[in-house]
Amino acid sequence: MFSMRWISVFLLTLPGIVISKDSELKLDGVYALAKRRIPSHAKDFSFEAIDGEGDTFVVADSGGKSGGITVSCTSVSACARGLYAYLTGHGKVNIWWTGSRLDELPSRLPPVPTPFNGSAIVQYRYHFNTVTFGYTTAFWSFDKWSLLLDWMALRGINLPLAWVGYETILIQVFKEAGLSDTEISTFLSDPAFLPWNRFGNLQGSFDGGLPMQWVNDQFSLQKQIVKRMVELGMTPVLPSFTGFVPRALASHYPNASIVSGSQWSGFPSTFTNVSFLEPFDPLFTTLQKSFITKQQAAYGNISHIYTLDQYNENNPFSGDTSYLRNVTSNTFASLRAADPEAVWLMQGWLFFSSSAFWTNDRIEAYLGSVEDNDAMIILDLYSEAQPQWNRTQNYFGKTWVWCELHDYGGNMGMEGNLQQVTSGPITALNSPGSSMKGVGLTMEGQEGNEIVYDILLDQAWSSSTLDIPGYVQGWVERRYGIANLPVEAQQAWSLLSKTVYDNQDPNSQATIKSILELSPSLTGLVNRTGHHPTLVPYDTNTTIVPALKLILQAANKSPSLKNIPEFRYDTVDITRQLLANRFIDLYQNLLSIYNTSASSTAISKAGSPLINLLHDLDDLLSTNENFLLSTWISDAKQWSHNNASYAKYLEFSARNQITLWGPDGEINDYASKQWAGLVREYYVERWQTFIDYLASLKQTGVAYNSSEVSSMMIQIGKTWDAKSWGEGKGENWNVKGDTFEVVDKILDKWL
Ligand SMILES: *[C@@H]1O[C@H](CO)[C@@H](O)[C@H](O)[C@H]1NC(C)=O
Ligand SMILES: *[C@@H]1O[C@H](CO)[C@@H](O)[C@H](O)[C@H]1NC(C)=O
Ligand SMILES: *[C@@H]1O[C@H](CO)[C@@H](O)[C@H](O)[C@H]1NC(C)=O
Ligand SMILES: *[C@@H]1O[C@H](CO)[C@@H](O)[C@H](O)[C@H]1NC(C)=O
Ligand SMILES: *[C@@H]1O[C@H](CO)[C@@H](O)[C@H](O)[C@H]1NC(C)=O
Ligand SMILES: *[C@@H]1O[C@H](CO)[C@@H](O)[C@H](O)[C@H]1NC(C)=O
Ligand SMILES: *[C@@H]1O[C@H](CO)[C@@H](O)[C@H](O)[C@H]1NC(C)=O
Ligand SMILES: *[C@@H]1O[C@H](CO)[C@@H](O)[C@H](O)[C@H]1NC(C)=O
Ligand SMILES: *[C@@H]1O[C@H](CO)[C@@H](O)[C@H](O)[C@H]1NC(C)=O
Ligand SMILES: *[C@@H]1O[C@H](CO)[C@@H](O)[C@H](O)[C@H]1NC(C)=O
Ligand SMILES: *[C@@H]1O[C@H](CO)[C@@H](O)[C@H](O)[C@H]1NC(C)=O
């Protein structure tokens, strides 16, 4: 509905569209975005509010006048999306995870011969998983945040999670409740592990305690982040008091209902079994009000939507439906006591991961005691492979969001299910009784595979299922953005989209983990399904290999492609995948030699190509700034204020997360990466140790001992985690070598 109030001259051509003079929309944030990313054209865009429901934009051209491209919108988010539609569609420029290329917009702006419009098909476009704040953004500066927030705004995200700096207010709440500094600090986890502390999975530090410096710095960062989110038309989903408390709270409140949570992922109980203050205890509401009041004072009243997960990989104290009803009604009441308009958002992962516990009766009881269906938002966290909305009658009427999980632990394999992420949301939205009101991204880590995230966010603005071949073609054009793009580049992606990005198997749907990143072993590495699949669901020789050849042919035809950051990225990534997949063949060969040969020399000989390949892989990754371990480490150390012992602490946290994940390898290799430096300094050492071990068995005649192998590997991890990057020989901070030269050598050798 558009009300008739004031009609601008150029919009007369668009019947029904009216500029609203007295709109409350603050469009400064979109102007600032244009100025930030396209300074030379800052004056060429105008943004105007129009009345209307939902998120709609209209893009028009005033015919060469200054402020020439006008985006009219019903919301700030729609204006940003309208700008994006113009920049990508007409301007052929985009902003990627690899950086912004919006400033390459031609100096003469491409005209808009016919005004065009767009509307979001859902109220919410959501971004982040609680753990993305560990796996991806843990150590980010505001510059990196700023780039991602612009990426998100342009794509139309309006509901991002905002967990950074949570601990500042939590600490104040605990202090007010009478806890001492020590009682609080022994509860908090280290920088790279805070998401799991917030989830109540983990407590305490692996390395001496979370410094207050970190807490304070993150709080300042959060103030910048949420301010920017609001400017960009997003409603931050803010933290709340969850109920997870330091153990010492029980001694201060002997009568409080505090239960011990379950053990998580094999951690010893000092690090897990987190104390949970039952929501029906009056103290819960007291702490909730304290938390939310302080948060409002810190950030302003910028959001009524709160993230609150009590049972993520953490089963309730009781399965009685009356108990579950009680927990929810009291949790919700506490939120409403603190903020009368509070909406409770939760990740729906538990309903899949603990589906044996979460029967439909229990889910109905747990969700049902919040009466207002719009007062809760459930993230159907893994909609592309393991949707739960369809077994729960649309979460028994609660508002829910169709989410793509796709990635565990920031693992880097190429993988996707383009069919499902385009048709899935449309089917769900149109299904009878649908209470789906959003589309979102809940990847654990953002690493590569940008197309699978892009396409879902674009689907959120199209009521019909996107045509995949057409979409891929447009995407490749935008991504490489050169005139006369060689057809081979399109052919490469067309091939990948029909194979690597068409994985239909729900039981192995996630970024493929390469076995080279796993602790070496004689068994259990190859063809894993589930959470971190190692099963490669396509034939490398007929997919990755020809795609890579086509990419290189494109580069030969149009050498300017070699300067396009996204093209360089993709070349490295596809070559990386080739080597990762070839490693499986070499490993199988090593095993069969071990099985059939009695000689230790034969084993060493069969082992040497594995090491050789890892060195080549490291050389390849070293050529691109997006594949460096040193970035992760230097991001961590940038917070050290030049304090050497603090820098060491930060580096340990960064190293441990991507390797042992826990002091003793509790979730070993969960967040493994193919990064230059990690491959050469860590995976090489593990595989060399393994090969030498196998060879030594042939000499001594001793039997293979898998626990001995595991403990050797954990020891290597502990030693590696304690090191400092840059101290070892050849430990580089910067890019080294030329991608295309290195790729040529790799092809000669491995094809
Ligand atoms: C959007 O464009 C369609 C035709 O392409 C037109 O029917 C519709 O009225 C337009 N909507 C707005 C809000 O301009
Ligand atoms: C705890 O409850 C007991 C028995 O009802 C009462 O005597 C005691 O004062 C309470 N203690 C606190 C700290 O409230
Ligand atoms: C921790 O939780 C597990 C169940 O998940 C339980 O068996 C164990 O007793 C708990 N330990 C403590 C110290 O509470
Ligand atoms: C936020 O809203 C609360 C009421 O919910 C009010 O008491 C408070 O003053 C507001 N704070 C700010 C900073 O506007
Ligand atoms: C929740 O359980 C507590 C403790 O058993 C009880 O006192 C309270 O009345 C219950 N509240 C509701 C709303 O059922
Ligand atoms: C829900 O949808 C998924 C994916 O399409 C399917 O595998 C599953 O069987 C469905 N569940 C129910 C209960 O219909
Ligand atoms: C892994 O699976 C593929 C096909 O899915 C099969 O060809 C191969 O033999 C399997 N390898 C092992 C070691 O099981
Ligand atoms: C793939 O190609 C490699 C190298 O040419 C060859 O060794 C291997 O057997 C091929 N694999 C399959 C499954 O065809
Ligand atoms: C090696 O032998 C084991 C057991 O004897 C067998 O399970 C395994 O498949 C063999 N591996 C290869 C690669 O031949
Ligand atoms: C340096 O950091 C350590 C550990 O975080 C801290 O204990 C110490 O006080 C800091 N030193 C200075 C001078 O700030
Ligand atoms: C295997 O190794 C473990 C750990 O090193 C050791 O405790 C165990 O005795 C070994 N088993 C055999 C059969 O040698």
Side-chain angles (χ1 to χ4, degrees):
M1 291 294 291
F2 299 92
S3 66
M4 291 298 286
R5 256 186 247 149
W6 185 81
I7 301 181
S8 87
V9 177
F10 68 91
L11 281 175
L12 277 172
T13 50
L14 289 173
I17 295 292
V18 178
I19 303 290
S20 133
K21 257 202 307 198
D22 55 358
S23 166
E24 286 176 20
L25 279 193
K26 287 206 169 51
L27 294 166
D28 316 19
V30 203
Y31 277 106
L33 191 166
K35 200 166 166 191
R36 195 159 49 239
R37 300 296 169 196
I38 335 168
S40 63
H41 281 298
K43 292 204 174 67
D44 296 332
F45 294 97
S46 310
F47 301 96
E48 292 176 339
I50 49 175
D51 283 346
E53 282 157 13
D55 300 273
T56 292
F57 64 79
V58 183
V59 180
D61 184 336
S62 64
K65 294 197 202 82
S66 133
I69 304 296
T70 301
V71 184
S72 312
C73 55
T74 60
S75 66
V76 180
S77 176
C79 251
R81 177 76 199 191
L83 175 62
Y84 178 72
Y86 172 77
L87 293 173
T88 57
H90 293 66
K92 308 283 180 205
V93 293
N94 205 341
I95 183 170
W96 304 95
W97 287 343
T98 27
S100 173
R101 291 175 56 223
L102 299 181
D103 59 353
E104 291 172 30
L105 193 61
S107 56
R108 218 190 145 86
L109 281 189
V112 182
T114 321
F116 64 95
N117 63 36
S119 293
I121 62 168
V122 281
Q123 181 181 353
Y124 299 122
R125 283 85 59 199
Y126 175 84
H127 199 82
F128 288 120
N129 186 309
T130 287
V131 306
T132 325
F133 292 81
Y135 290 132
T136 299
T137 67
F139 300 109
W140 278 14
S141 64
F142 186 65
D143 278 353
K144 288 197 174 181
W145 271 103
S146 172
L147 181 72
L148 179 63
L149 292 173
D150 287 346
W151 183 99
M152 288 159 55
L154 288 166
R155 282 160 173 77
I157 302 281
N158 64 357
L159 191 65
L161 198 52
W163 264 117
V164 173
Y166 173 56
E167 286 63 35
T168 298
I169 293 172
L170 190 67
I171 290 170
Q172 289 167 9
V173 169
F174 287 152
K175 278 193 175 171
E176 200 176 84
L179 293 179
S180 71
D181 289 348
T182 312
E183 286 168 340
I184 298 168
S185 69
T186 49
F187 168 72
L188 302 172
S189 299
D190 304 312
F193 302 98
L194 285 169
W196 299 274
N197 188 223
R198 295 165 183 168
F199 263 155
N201 301 136
L202 205 63
Q203 64 183 344
S205 165
F206 303 153
D207 191 24
L210 184 70
M212 273 313 285
Q213 183 74 61
W214 172 267
V215 173
N216 296 336
D217 287 344
Q218 292 296 299
F219 186 53
S220 306
L221 178 62
Q222 169 79 341
K223 286 183 181 165
Q224 288 178 284
I225 292 169
V226 294
K227 181 166 176 278
R228 179 63 62 79
M229 285 175 170
V230 171
E231 281 169 15
L232 292 171
M234 304 174 184
T235 303
V237 181
L238 293 175
S240 56
F241 174 68
T242 54
F244 297 111
V245 294
R247 281 194 182 146
L249 193 79
S251 55
H252 291 268
Y253 297 85
N255 292 353
S257 302
I258 296 174
V259 293
S260 179
S262 47
Q263 187 188 20
W264 184 70
S265 283
F267 278 89
S269 76
T270 43
F271 287 126
T272 180
N273 287 95
V274 179
S275 296
F276 181 61
L277 173 63
E278 296 278 26
F280 48 75
D281 194 293
L283 183 59
F284 189 98
T285 300
T286 306
L287 301 187
Q288 188 68 279
K289 280 161 86 174
S290 167
F291 185 93
I292 288 181
T293 308
K294 288 176 172 55
Q295 185 164 261
Q296 284 173 340
Y299 311 142
N301 287 339
I302 54 174
S303 174
H304 297 292
I305 306 185
Y306 299 94
T307 182
L308 210 175
D309 293 283
Q310 297 167 319
Y311 300 125
N312 183 76
E313 301 184 359
N314 208 352
N315 280 350
F317 186 65
S318 158
D320 288 353
T321 51
S322 62
Y323 173 84
L324 296 172
R325 235 178 253 118
N326 187 318
V327 166
T328 336
S329 66
N330 284 295
T331 302
F332 184 64
S334 80
L335 288 170
R336 282 283 162 109
D339 176 349
E341 292 172 61
V343 170
W344 175 1
L345 177 141
M346 63 179 286
Q347 300 200 171
W349 173 250
L350 68 174
F351 303 131
F352 165 62
S353 75
S354 309
S355 58
F357 177 90
W358 287 104
T359 57
N360 274 17
D361 279 359
R362 285 177 176 156
I363 298 175
E364 188 169 15
Y366 186 68
L367 302 182
S369 63
V370 173
E371 278 170 23
D372 176 359
N373 280 336
D374 290 327
M376 261 187 125
I377 301 175
I378 316 296
L379 303 176
D380 190 62
L381 212 75
Y382 195 11
S383 305
E384 80 273 28
Q386 304 288 353
Q388 301 299 306
W389 63 269
N390 60 342
R391 76 142 163 134
T392 56
Q393 299 168 38
N394 279 280
Y395 292 104
F396 302 101
K398 292 286 172 296
T399 295
W400 67 274
V401 179
W402 199 103
C403 295
E404 178 182 5
L405 178 53
H406 180 261
D407 180 280
Y408 293 106
N411 291 174
M412 291 168 66
M414 291 169 72
E415 191 271 347
N417 184 351
L418 297 181
Q419 287 193 47
Q420 193 48 230
V421 298
T422 48
S423 65
I426 301 300
T427 306
L429 195 58
N430 295 329
S431 69
S434 180
S435 54
M436 169 185 156
K437 293 193 182 153
V439 158
L441 300 179
T442 48
M443 63 272 122
E444 288 196 346
Q446 288 177 192
E447 286 285 344
N449 292 302
E450 198 165 351
I451 192 168
V452 307
Y453 304 107
D454 250 1
I455 198 170
L456 180 63
L457 297 180
D458 286 345
Q459 185 63 65
W461 295 77
S462 166
S463 55
S464 56
T465 302
L466 294 173
D467 164 62
I468 294 171
Y471 183 87
V472 172
Q473 191 179 0
W475 188 86
V476 173
E477 245 173 64
R478 295 201 293 280
R479 187 161 172 84
Y480 300 147
I482 62 163
N484 307 317
L485 179 67
V487 65
E488 287 83 354
Q490 290 290 357
Q491 289 167 343
W493 277 100
S494 167
L495 177 57
L496 293 173
S497 70
K498 290 177 192 147
T499 54
V500 174
Y501 291 108
D502 190 34
N503 178 14
Q504 300 291 323
D505 178 4
N507 296 315
S508 63
Q509 224 176 91
T511 43
I512 312 294
K513 198 177 186 96
S514 172
I515 67 161
L516 68 86
E517 301 162 34
L518 292 170
S519 191
S521 165
L522 274 189
T523 53
L525 302 191
V526 174
N527 283 358
R528 285 188 191 176
T529 56
H531 233 71
H532 295 267
T534 60
L535 176 79
V536 178
Y538 52 82
D539 172 8
T540 304
N541 287 354
T542 57
T543 56
I544 299 288
V545 171
L548 179 57
K549 285 181 175 167
L550 287 163
I551 283 286
L552 295 174
Q553 281 166 25
N556 280 340
K557 272 197 187 168
S558 278
S560 66
L561 276 173
K562 295 186 180 178
N563 301 323
I564 305 292
E566 291 70 33
F567 188 83
R568 301 170 68 88
Y569 182 99
D570 294 342
T571 305
V572 172
D573 203 37
I574 301 170
T575 313
R576 178 199 60 68
Q577 195 63 57
L578 168 70
L579 292 179
N581 296 354
R582 282 286 185 262
F583 189 85
I584 301 171
D585 303 337
L586 303 179
Y587 167 78
Q588 292 294 356
N589 184 53
L590 173 68
L591 294 201
S592 63
I593 300 285
Y594 173 78
N595 273 6
T596 54
S597 163
S599 123
S600 64
T601 342
I603 291 178
S604 301
K605 193 160 165 251
S608 90
L610 280 77
I611 302 301
N612 209 317
L613 181 144
L614 293 178
H615 281 289
D616 287 345
L617 175 59
D618 199 276
D619 286 347
L620 169 76
L621 301 170
S622 297
T623 65
N624 190 286
E625 66 276 17
N626 297 289
F627 296 85
L628 305 180
L629 167 71
S630 59
T631 305
W632 177 244
I633 293 180
S634 61
D635 279 358
K637 288 172 71 173
Q638 73 184 322
W639 298 98
S640 75
H641 296 266
N642 296 317
N643 174 336
S645 69
Y646 185 25
K648 190 108 184 77
Y649 165 87
L650 291 164
E651 178 162 358
F652 175 80
S653 187
R655 283 179 178 245
N656 182 265
Q657 189 213 64
I658 58 172
T659 55
L660 296 180
W661 213 127
D664 293 304
E666 281 82 355
I667 327 181
N668 201 10
D669 297 322
Y670 184 100
S672 62
K673 302 283 182 303
Q674 286 177 49
W675 283 340
L678 187 62
V679 173
R680 200 183 51 224
E681 303 297 328
Y682 188 53
Y683 300 145
V684 164
E685 186 179 355
R686 289 203 306 198
W687 283 99
Q688 190 63 63
T689 303
F690 180 68
I691 294 160
D692 293 347
Y693 172 78
L694 294 184
S696 77
L697 297 182
K698 298 293 178 186
Q699 266 167 353
T700 58
V702 173
Y704 181 83
N705 180 341
S706 61
S707 43
E708 193 180 355
V709 173
S710 306
S711 51
M712 281 192 298
M713 296 304 156
I714 298 289
Q715 197 46 57
I716 291 172
K718 288 184 176 180
T719 306
W720 192 83
D721 285 359
K723 287 184 183 170
S724 294
W725 187 254
E727 281 178 358
K729 197 164 152 262
E731 288 181 355
N732 240 306
W733 292 98
N734 300 315
V735 162
K736 216 177 91 190
D738 173 75
T739 297
F740 296 90
E741 281 173 21
V742 173
V743 170
D744 280 347
K745 280 189 201 141
I746 285 172
L747 292 192
D748 284 348
K749 214 155 136 185
W750 298 107
L751 275 192

